[in-house]
Amino acid sequence: MHKKIAVLSGDGIGPEVVSEAIKVLNSVSEKFGHTFEYEHALVGAIAIDKTGDPLPDETLKVCTSSDAVLFGAIGDPKYDNNPDAKVRPEQGLLALRKSLNLFSNIRPVKAYDSLIDRSPLKEDRISGTDFVIYRELTGGIYFGEKTLSEDGKTASDLCLYTQSEIERIAHMAFKAARKRRNKMTLIDKANVLESSRLWRRVVTELHQSDYADVDLDFLFVDNAAMQMILNPAQFDVILTENMFGDIISDEGSVIGGSIGLLASASIGGQYAMFEPIHGSFPQGTGKGIANPIATILSAAMMLDHFSLNQEAEAVRTAVDKALQNGVCTPEINAGGQYTTSDVGDYISKSIT
Ligand code: IPM
Ligand code: MG
């Protein structure tokens, strides 16, 4: 199989973790006889520095002419504490999601047996946790109209959803539940928000008409945030809107013991992008301490997207082997002294 992959490494540790994922993809292509062709393009703070634009047209062209996008991380502290900045690196990622219509963000969360003692949560709470978050990614408060009054004293962000935006991701989440443990939880704030009441109505109707075989339940987001810590193993597929999904997926990362393990896929009608859920970790940049596993597992999700399921499984097995043998970056194995590239080397050599 021949595939063209747009590589958007971005800022901070982005380039370091992406190059380990490419190492692993190259090992897959060698072992399984595929050709992956990579085209690199700028995004985020580095793109602002070089072109003034966090998502240059050229980058978008590279993405739309590729079979998939592999994304690293974006963000730079010089923008974080400056609310007056006119352009921000994050705008590049948001524009990319919107331009490629990547409406469904899929984030698997798992408690690895080999790392169970690394989580700050008690073992008996998190053991057996294995769920996946379907986060709506191109609507809601992230993309609704924003206003700031002339005097700078009043601001607003509109949270807007349409029935069709809810339906298209709900279809994907229901189908995913059928392939898993057949359970779906809609997380919303329907006791307060009109947009959440629309989510509940649309999802309930779709359930009755097309997916009555799937167990469906509902949680308010505040309760869900608590349940995710108290009893995370109860979840199978979680469906939620953009902002709630952003928040609960960082919360979910605590279960696995490191945010450096969480992968994601962003899927739309035509395009697909794969990225770790962590940020650009500026303090860790260039030190060889960034965990490449989230990006490597994102590359595995990309292989699944190409229907290369055996290859994806080979990557996941190699990752498990690294975790079991303690070949991990310092946030997981402080005494192991393995660098970002040691972990990538070990995983790519373990592909069979
Ligand atoms: C994420 C990130 C982004 C988001 C930021 C970087 C804009 O936190 O992918 O979860 O809020 O969606
Ligand atoms: Mg986030």
Side-chain angles (χ1 to χ4, degrees):
M1 184 180 274
H2 177 273
K3 291 286 180 195
K4 192 179 148 202
I5 300 163
V7 180
L8 276 52
S9 302
D11 305 322
I13 57 164
E16 299 168 47
V17 291
V18 164
S19 62
E20 299 314 311
I22 289 179
K23 236 184 228 174
V24 173
L25 286 171
N26 286 340
S27 167
V28 167
S29 60
E30 213 176 281
K31 295 268 158 45
F32 291 84
H34 304 300
T35 315
F36 299 137
E37 184 194 332
Y38 308 99
E39 192 170 356
H40 293 259
L42 295 171
V43 73
I46 182 159
I48 301 177
D49 290 347
K50 294 207 172 140
T51 71
D53 185 350
L55 179 65
D57 289 346
E58 171 59 26
T59 297
L60 202 52
K61 265 192 227 131
V62 171
C63 295
T64 54
S65 65
S66 300
D67 296 297
V69 181
L70 182 64
F71 191 96
I74 53 163
D76 188 302
K78 71 184 174 204
Y79 298 95
D80 291 348
N81 300 321
N82 176 9
D84 296 327
K86 289 274 172 301
V87 280
R88 323 184 67 84
E90 289 77 8
Q91 286 164 346
L93 178 58
L94 297 177
L96 194 58
R97 291 171 176 172
K98 197 71 174 173
S99 313
L100 300 179
N101 195 24
L102 304 172
F103 59 82
S104 178
N105 182 226
I106 305 163
R107 298 183 162 185
V109 175
K110 198 168 125 175
Y112 291 90
D113 286 341
S114 48
L115 297 182
I116 206 110
D117 57 336
R118 305 303 312 160
S119 174
L121 302 176
K122 290 197 178 103
E123 187 176 329
D124 60 330
R125 299 271 159 148
I126 60 170
S127 170
T129 298
D130 180 358
F131 62 85
V132 57
I133 300 171
Y134 275 69
R135 167 189 176 195
E136 202 289 330
L137 202 59
T138 51
I141 199 167
Y142 271 60
F143 291 96
E145 191 194 349
K146 298 179 189 312
T147 67
L148 179 63
S149 65
E150 295 241 322
D151 65 5
K153 291 185 179 166
T154 309
S156 70
D157 299 272
L158 179 70
C159 181
L160 184 141
Y161 270 109
T162 64
Q163 177 169 344
S164 59
E165 282 175 320
I166 299 167
E167 278 172 352
R168 61 186 180 177
I169 184 168
H171 276 293
M172 291 175 85
F174 274 124
K175 286 186 182 136
R178 276 186 178 153
K179 291 199 187 136
R180 295 172 49 95
R181 301 191 307 277
N182 217 38
K183 183 178 172 200
M184 186 167 102
T185 306
L186 175 67
I187 292 180
D188 63 23
K189 188 74 187 173
N191 50 347
V192 176
L193 302 177
E194 201 56 53
S195 53
S196 282
R197 288 192 275 274
L198 181 66
W199 271 83
R200 231 177 236 225
R201 179 159 61 74
V202 171
V203 169
T204 304
E205 283 169 8
L206 202 59
H207 178 241
Q208 278 160 5
S209 62
D210 293 23
Y211 302 97
D213 55 302
V214 177
D215 281 338
L216 173 66
D217 63 3
F218 307 93
L219 280 181
F220 297 138
V221 62
D222 48 351
N223 184 16
M226 185 176 72
Q227 295 293 332
M228 194 167 279
I229 301 299
L230 281 178
N231 178 16
Q234 71 183 289
F235 296 112
D236 183 15
V237 173
I238 288 175
L239 172 63
T240 192
E241 62 91 61
N242 202 343
M243 176 77 138
F244 298 156
D246 180 45
I247 297 168
I248 62 161
S249 56
D250 266 34
E251 190 190 3
S253 74
V254 175
I255 296 166
S258 168
I259 196 167
L261 298 172
L262 283 208
S264 86
S266 300
I267 311 275
Q270 204 179 346
Y271 303 108
M273 181 161 96
F274 300 85
E275 57 169 311
I277 86 149
H278 61 68
S280 58
F281 189 23
Q283 317 85 302
T285 305
K287 296 188 181 152
I289 58 172
N291 190 342
I293 289 182
T295 316
I296 291 169
L297 289 173
S298 302
M301 293 181 88
M302 180 167 79
L303 294 170
D304 273 327
H305 178 73
F306 294 154
S307 296
L308 299 175
N309 306 101
Q310 197 192 337
E311 289 81 343
E313 210 39 50
V315 173
R316 285 189 278 263
T317 305
V319 166
D320 282 342
K321 191 173 162 197
L323 294 175
Q324 270 155 23
N325 292 323
V327 184
C328 304
T329 40
E331 93 285 5
I332 292 178
N333 182 1
Q337 313 224 318
Y338 292 103
T339 64
T340 307
S341 83
D342 291 337
V343 175
D345 285 341
Y346 183 89
I347 294 171
S348 52
K349 286 195 189 108
S350 306
I351 301 283
T352 47

